[in-house]
């Protein structure tokens, strides 16, 4: 294993120290509770957005803390859910009295711990709501989940709900728009190589040089099947077909598209993937109203990509285009 780390056991704490040093203008890091919050004073009456999950998916979630998106993030150990105490500490740190929305990816540990955190927060007089992100169409159940996995759609949920909260909307409305975005979003991923968790010291699974994992999860969970490595156009056609089989789009529809790298895929290749996605959608008369191409929800050093498509509306699109200023996403400011 070759990694730029000090010790496997200190990876998270060392990374949090680095995040704090790199982005002190945007965020603060509570190293005791392992909570990342927005820098500066809290705005009275604003609904807070809190998300979290295992580390190894950067920039998710800490990279999306800032104006127009999250108020706090709770990073767990690599591929391990944060604990309820972290989540409650995050909610308390950013609470303004208007309530907190928990954005939860559908992994068993995350779901159980956020549910427990909501109960503990209620005991302390905090109002919370939650939205479950389950956008991955590759498999219904997997190693980590009951039901669909939460993957790239998390970025769309956090951005659009974050923009509405920034406008001063009440908790019920913010939770509702987050649920709408999740319901309108589908994702599918393929892996060219496995990733190596620092504590494991070896790849999470074996994959021959001429094969790819089709429908892989962001922790390296197996997908639908393995297939031979083929030209990008053929792989993308199959990925998008899986998305569109579950998300009916008609000519004239508008969508947001994210082509996301899983950690080790060059941007050059991600643009090739996006070219194929855009061409296939255009052939159906579907208009791409906004896009992201890059690394947003990664899986350590896994080579591969995911495609996320969100069927949008005028109000959702306006919220998507609203100003955002985080370490990993920024425009309009």
């Amino acid at each position: 294993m070759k990694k730029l780390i000090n010790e496997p056991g200190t990876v998270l704490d060392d990374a949090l120290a680095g995040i704090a040093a790199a982005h002190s203008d945007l965020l603060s890091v509570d190293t005791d509770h392992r909570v990342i919050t927005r820098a500066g004073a809290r705005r009275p009456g604003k609904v807070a957005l809190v998300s979290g999950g295992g580390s190894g998916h950067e920039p998710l979630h800490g990279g999306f803390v800032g104006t127009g998106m999250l108020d706090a993030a709770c990073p767990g150990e690599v591929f391990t859910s944060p604990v309820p105490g972290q989540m409650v500490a995050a909610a308390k740190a950013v609470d303004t009295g208007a309530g907190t929305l928990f954005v939860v990816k559908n992994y068993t540990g995350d779901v159980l711990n956020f549910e427990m955190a909501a109960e503990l927060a209620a005991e302390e007089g905090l109002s919370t709501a939650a939205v479950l992100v389950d956008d991955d169409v590759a498999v219904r159940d997997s190693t980590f989940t009951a039901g669909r996995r939460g993957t790239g759609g998390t970025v769309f949920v956090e951005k659009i709900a974050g923009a509405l909260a920034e406008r001063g909307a009440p908790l019920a409305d913010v939770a509702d728009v987050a649920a709408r975005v999740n319901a309108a979003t589908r994702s599918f991923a393929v892996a060219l190589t496995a990733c190596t968790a620092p504590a494991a010291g070896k790849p999470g699974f074996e994959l021959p040089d001429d094969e790819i994992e089709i429908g892989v999860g962001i922790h390296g969970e197996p997908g639908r099947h393995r297939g031979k490595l083929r030209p990008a156009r053929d792989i993308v056609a199959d990925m998008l077909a899986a998305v569109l089989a579950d998300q009916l789009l008609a000519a004239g529809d508008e969508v947001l598209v994210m082509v996301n790298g899983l950690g080790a895929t060059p941007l050059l290749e991600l643009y090739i993937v996006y070219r194929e996605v855009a061409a296939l959608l255009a052939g159906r008369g579907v208009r791409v109203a906004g896009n992201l191409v890059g690394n947003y929800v990664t899986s350590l050093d896994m080579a591969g990509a995911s495609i996320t498509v969100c069927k949008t509306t005028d109000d959702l699109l306006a919220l998507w285009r609203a100003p955002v200023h985080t370490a990993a996403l920024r425009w309009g400011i």
Side-chain angles (χ1 to χ4, degrees):
M1 179 177 70
K2 292 182 179 179
K3 290 186 178 293
L4 291 172
I5 63 175
N6 294 315
E7 300 291 339
T10 67
V11 166
L12 177 54
D13 290 332
D14 291 349
L16 287 175
I19 290 169
H23 303 295
S24 60
D25 58 326
L26 296 175
L27 49 82
S28 299
V29 177
D30 177 347
T31 55
D32 291 334
H33 293 99
R34 289 178 168 174
V35 170
I36 302 170
T37 59
R38 289 195 201 186
R42 288 174 284 176
R43 197 177 85 213
K46 179 193 171 299
V47 168
L49 265 70
V50 174
S51 194
S55 296
H57 305 304
E58 289 73 21
L60 196 77
H61 292 276
F64 300 127
V65 172
T67 301
M69 238 170 145
L70 296 177
D71 294 273
C74 314
E77 294 287 350
V78 172
F79 293 175
T80 303
S81 171
V83 297
Q86 283 178 269
M87 300 164 183
V88 175
K92 291 171 67 174
V94 298
D95 177 65
T96 68
T100 296
L101 178 67
F102 288 144
V103 180
V104 187
K105 300 190 305 303
N106 189 33
Y107 297 97
T108 302
D110 290 25
V111 172
L112 292 175
N113 286 345
F114 269 107
E115 287 177 349
M116 187 176 298
E119 294 173 2
L120 295 173
E123 292 175 1
E124 299 203 31
L126 300 179
S127 174
T128 66
V131 61
L132 189 68
V133 182
D134 58 354
D135 56 304
D136 184 11
V137 302
V139 290
R140 169 59 62 182
D141 300 298
S142 74
T143 309
F144 286 67
T145 64
R148 290 177 171 168
R149 302 176 289 217
T151 57
T154 313
V155 178
F156 290 156
V157 170
E158 292 177 354
K159 171 62 186 77
I160 292 173
L164 188 61
E166 208 71 51
R167 290 182 178 179
L171 179 59
D173 289 355
V174 177
D176 178 69
V177 81
R180 282 179 57 202
V181 174
N182 178 65
T185 304
R186 303 290 189 275
S187 296
F188 195 92
V190 299
L192 282 64
T193 67
C195 63
T196 300
K202 61 181 181 180
F205 56 88
E206 297 295 327
L207 193 58
D209 290 343
D210 64 342
E211 291 186 358
I212 60 175
E213 185 74 36
I214 299 169
V216 71
I218 57 173
H219 305 95
E221 311 100 302
R224 292 183 171 182
H225 59 90
R226 289 187 177 180
K228 294 296 183 181
L229 180 64
R230 296 169 291 150
R233 67 176 68 88
D234 297 332
I235 296 172
V236 172
D238 287 349
M239 294 171 71
L240 193 59
V243 167
L244 297 182
D246 203 89
Q247 180 191 52
L248 300 179
L249 296 176
D253 285 341
E254 292 189 321
V255 295
L256 301 172
V257 172
M258 179 171 69
V259 170
N260 170 64
L262 297 181
T265 305
L267 193 57
L268 181 73
E269 295 175 28
L270 296 180
Y271 279 121
I272 292 172
V273 171
Y274 180 78
R275 172 185 180 272
E276 302 299 334
V277 172
L280 288 167
L281 290 174
R284 289 173 169 260
V286 175
R287 177 176 175 268
V288 178
N291 69 74
L292 293 175
V293 181
N295 288 309
Y296 299 97
V297 184
T298 61
S299 184
L300 293 171
D301 55 347
M302 182 182 288
S306 63
I307 297 170
T308 299
V309 178
C310 174
K311 183 178 178 180
T312 191
T313 57
D314 289 345
D315 61 330
L316 297 184
L317 188 56
L319 291 168
W320 172 255
R321 291 171 172 168
V324 61
H325 191 191
T326 70
L329 210 64
R330 63 182 69 183
W331 59 69
I333 293 180

